[in-house]
């Protein structure tokens, strides 16, 4: 967070305090208990792991709602993993909105994608890997952006002046490769390193039952390569992240056909070391009021394709995901999502996940997440986490 302070000061200094601004305060505090189902590979790792998080939010609006400022700091304190104990500014964003355009400046989050199992084109924000293994949690990204709304669609331009390095578990943490990843010694292709100026453009449009998005990104790859340094003789082997420059073209589609959602994402990414195509396509069919009950059941299936060889960050090259989403439609907003991913090149390699949540009161909520991995191949990414099947139980308080 210390490295973001100059950018924060620049953004906040340009905003004049408004005497009649409306200010709202809210947030969540969470206690999380992780439990791993197998003994760890290394003696410094534990079976159980407790942590707490705090995510307050301050929202201020003025100018009849045309201008607003959102501030969301985040902090986690972990029982064992010092790298998982960290702080971040998830959002510190000024927004000016009009009928035909929007301007944003600060630190924020941008999501691009439609599919459930993989978000290939979502490249603006860096992944906060110590939070969850599914890659859904993101670090706040410093940015300036402008969106223009017109009949032919919305065009958004992003200028990204500062790069965020990916977080990795420490030696005491689980869900890491055999050789630890250094969090303090990243190297870059760009001479400007973290100050390389990245930019992106996205067009999106709703055409009847279709939602279409096209994007282009040019800048530092959010997904690093891992360089082996040190030696076995000196017992100082370490993996050093290397962030190269890349250009990526992406497309995402959503077709709403009655009770069926057809989803598609594809990218082509090019850098000095590789050029590849990746895509994911599938559908979600929802049965409303199944068996004359209040429950809705959604059936999901997606196919994942990636031309890259398997690596620690690319587990899916030729895989199929099937899943079910169960929605209770009760006052507590109870939901359950279960999925299974099968590697079609190796039937002994697969993974599974479960996500469930429900409110207990107006201020309290529980969530349960489970992640499971299996492989016999030493070249598969799941081989590094084959003993890291785990469940996460969270109790959240909303204020």
């Amino acid at each position: 967070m210390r490295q973001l302070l100059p950018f924060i000061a620049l953004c906040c200094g340009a905003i004049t305090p408004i005497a009649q601004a409306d200010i709202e305060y809210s947030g969540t505090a969470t206690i999380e208990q992780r439990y791993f189902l197998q003994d760890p590979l290394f003696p410094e790792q534990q079976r159980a792991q407790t942590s707490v998080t705090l995510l307050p939010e301050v929202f201020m609006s003025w100018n009849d709602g045309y201008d607003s400022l959102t501030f969301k700091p985040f902090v986690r304190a972990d029982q064992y993993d010092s790298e998982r104990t960290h702080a971040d500014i998830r959002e510190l964003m000024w927004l000016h909105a009009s009928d035909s355009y929007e301007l944003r400046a600060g630190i924020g989050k941008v999501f691009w994608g439609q599919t459930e199992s993989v978000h290939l084109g979502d490249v603006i924000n860096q992944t906060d890997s110590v939070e969850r293994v599914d890659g859904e949690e993101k670090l706040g990204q410093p940015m300036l952006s402008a969106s223009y709304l017109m009949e032919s669609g919305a065009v958004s331009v992003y200028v990204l002046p500062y790069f965020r390095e990916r977080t990795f578990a420490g030696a005491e943490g689980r869900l890491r490769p055999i050789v630890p990843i250094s969090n303090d010694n990243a190297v870059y292709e760009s001479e400007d390193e973290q100050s390389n100026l990245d930019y992106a453009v996205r067009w999106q449009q709703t055409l009847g039952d279709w939602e279409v998005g096209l994007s282009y990104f040019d800048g530092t790859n959010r997904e690093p390569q891992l360089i082996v340094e040190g030696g076995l003789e000196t017992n100082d082997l370490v993996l050093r992240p290397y962030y190269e420059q890349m250009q990526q073209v992406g497309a995402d589609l959503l077709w709403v056909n009655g009770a069926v959602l057809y989803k598609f994402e594809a990218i082509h990414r090019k850098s000095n070391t590789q050029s590849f195509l990746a895509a994911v396509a599938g559908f979600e069919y929802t049965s409303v009021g199944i068996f004359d009950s209040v429950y809705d059941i959604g059936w999901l299936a997606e196919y994942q394709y990636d031309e890259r060889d398997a690596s620690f960050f690319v587990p899916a090259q030729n895989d199929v995901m099937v899943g079910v989403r169960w929605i209770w439609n009760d006052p507590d907003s109870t939901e359950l999502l279960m999925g299974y991913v099968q590697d079609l090149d190796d039937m002994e390699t697969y993974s599974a996940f479960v996500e469930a949540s429900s409110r207990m009161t107006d201020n309290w909520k529980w969530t349960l997440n489970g992640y499971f991995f299996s492989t016999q191949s030493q070249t598969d990414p799941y081989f590094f986490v084959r003993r890291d099947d785990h469940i996460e139980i969270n109790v959240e308080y909303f204020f």
Side-chain angles (χ1 to χ4, degrees):
M1 183 185 293
R2 183 169 60 252
Q3 296 170 314
L4 296 177
L5 290 178
F7 185 81
I8 295 169
L10 175 64
C11 294
C12 293
I15 300 174
T16 303
I18 306 299
Q20 297 181 343
D22 296 324
I23 303 178
E24 301 175 8
Y25 303 92
S26 61
T28 60
T30 305
I31 299 176
E32 179 190 274
Q33 180 63 53
R34 271 183 171 182
Y35 181 76
F36 293 85
L37 305 185
Q38 300 98 349
D39 289 329
L41 288 174
F42 307 100
E44 62 267 28
Q45 296 175 322
Q46 307 294 325
R47 287 282 292 268
Q49 184 179 5
T50 305
S51 64
V52 295
T53 67
L54 183 63
L55 181 65
E57 178 178 350
V58 180
F59 177 79
M60 180 173 64
S61 65
W62 66 95
N63 191 22
D64 295 327
Y66 287 100
D67 289 274
S68 65
L69 180 69
T70 303
F71 179 41
K72 293 182 181 180
F74 170 82
V75 61
R76 178 184 291 277
D78 190 87
Q79 182 181 10
Y80 297 113
D81 189 353
S82 59
E83 296 295 341
R84 200 166 187 244
T85 296
H86 69 302
D88 182 45
I89 296 177
R90 295 306 202 213
E91 189 171 349
L92 178 55
M93 183 64 69
W94 165 71
L95 166 65
H96 175 75
S98 74
D99 294 336
S100 59
Y101 69 90
E102 294 180 349
L103 301 176
R104 289 179 170 85
I107 299 170
K109 288 187 178 182
V110 176
F111 174 76
W112 297 344
Q114 298 289 356
T115 54
E116 184 70 36
S117 58
V118 181
H119 303 304
L120 294 171
D122 190 30
V123 295
I124 295 293
N125 290 86
Q126 178 62 276
T127 300
D128 194 351
S129 296
V130 298
E131 284 299 305
R132 288 174 60 183
V133 70
D134 60 7
E136 296 290 334
E137 292 293 331
K138 302 291 183 176
L139 297 171
Q141 171 62 49
M143 68 176 69
L144 302 171
S145 72
S147 299
Y148 183 64
L149 313 176
M150 48 191 174
E151 291 185 2
S152 58
V155 176
S156 301
V157 179
Y158 302 87
V159 178
L160 314 171
Y162 186 81
F163 175 76
R164 304 296 310 279
E165 295 178 2
R166 185 169 295 205
T167 57
F168 298 105
E172 304 87 357
R174 304 289 293 257
L175 298 158
R176 68 168 179 85
I178 297 175
V179 178
I181 300 175
S182 173
N183 283 289
D184 303 316
N185 296 294
V187 290
Y188 294 85
E189 178 183 346
S190 170
E191 294 181 353
D192 295 325
E193 298 186 341
Q194 287 183 276
S195 298
N196 185 80
L197 190 64
D198 302 346
Y199 67 90
V201 180
R202 177 173 167 83
W203 170 80
Q204 58 189 95
Q205 174 68 306
T206 300
L207 302 170
D209 296 330
W210 291 79
E211 291 184 11
V212 183
L214 299 174
S215 61
Y216 177 78
F217 175 90
D218 190 314
T220 306
N221 195 340
R222 273 56 180 157
E223 186 178 281
Q225 298 184 32
L226 297 177
I227 303 172
V228 179
E229 290 192 351
L232 292 174
E233 297 81 2
T234 54
N235 196 28
D236 61 350
L237 274 177
V238 68
L239 296 176
R240 194 173 182 185
Y242 170 65
Y243 296 97
E244 61 181 350
Q245 295 295 291
M246 74 166 191
Q247 297 78 43
Q248 175 175 299
V249 178
D252 56 85
L253 302 173
L254 175 67
W255 177 29
V256 182
N257 185 18
V260 185
L261 304 178
Y262 295 97
K263 308 175 184 182
F264 174 78
E265 292 184 31
I267 62 168
H268 182 269
R269 183 181 300 173
K270 182 181 179 181
S271 67
N272 285 336
T273 62
Q274 59 183 351
S275 177
F276 68 90
L277 175 70
V280 55
F283 69 89
E284 179 173 355
Y285 170 71
T286 301
S287 300
V288 179
I290 190 169
F291 302 131
D292 296 323
S293 69
V294 298
Y295 306 123
D296 295 343
I297 300 291
W299 310 96
L300 300 87
E302 292 180 355
Y303 172 69
Q304 306 166 353
Y305 171 77
D306 199 310
E307 289 184 332
R308 290 174 290 180
D309 295 330
S311 72
F312 187 70
F313 304 110
V314 189
Q317 288 80 41
N318 181 28
D319 297 50
V320 169
M321 186 276 291
V322 293
V324 58
R325 192 193 311 273
W326 187 1
I327 302 175
W328 265 251
N329 290 317
D330 61 346
D332 296 326
S333 300
T334 306
E335 293 188 14
L336 172 67
L337 173 64
M338 297 183 294
Y340 175 86
V341 183
Q342 177 63 60
D343 188 330
L344 299 180
D345 295 323
D346 181 359
M347 300 306 292
E348 293 185 340
T349 297
Y350 56 86
S351 65
F353 64 89
V354 57
E355 301 174 1
S357 64
S358 182
R359 284 189 175 271
M360 296 180 284
T361 69
D362 290 341
N363 298 100
W364 290 91
K365 176 183 179 180
W366 64 264
T367 64
L368 183 148
N369 302 312
Y371 304 98
F372 314 94
F373 319 94
S374 178
T375 187
Q376 301 297 321
S377 172
Q378 296 187 17
T379 61
D380 192 276
Y382 290 145
F383 185 79
F384 302 112
V385 294
R386 65 192 184 281
R387 299 180 66 87
D388 286 335
D389 295 351
H390 67 283
I391 57 174
E392 297 174 350
I393 300 175
N394 294 273
V395 178
E396 301 178 50
Y397 175 70
F398 295 84
F399 56 88

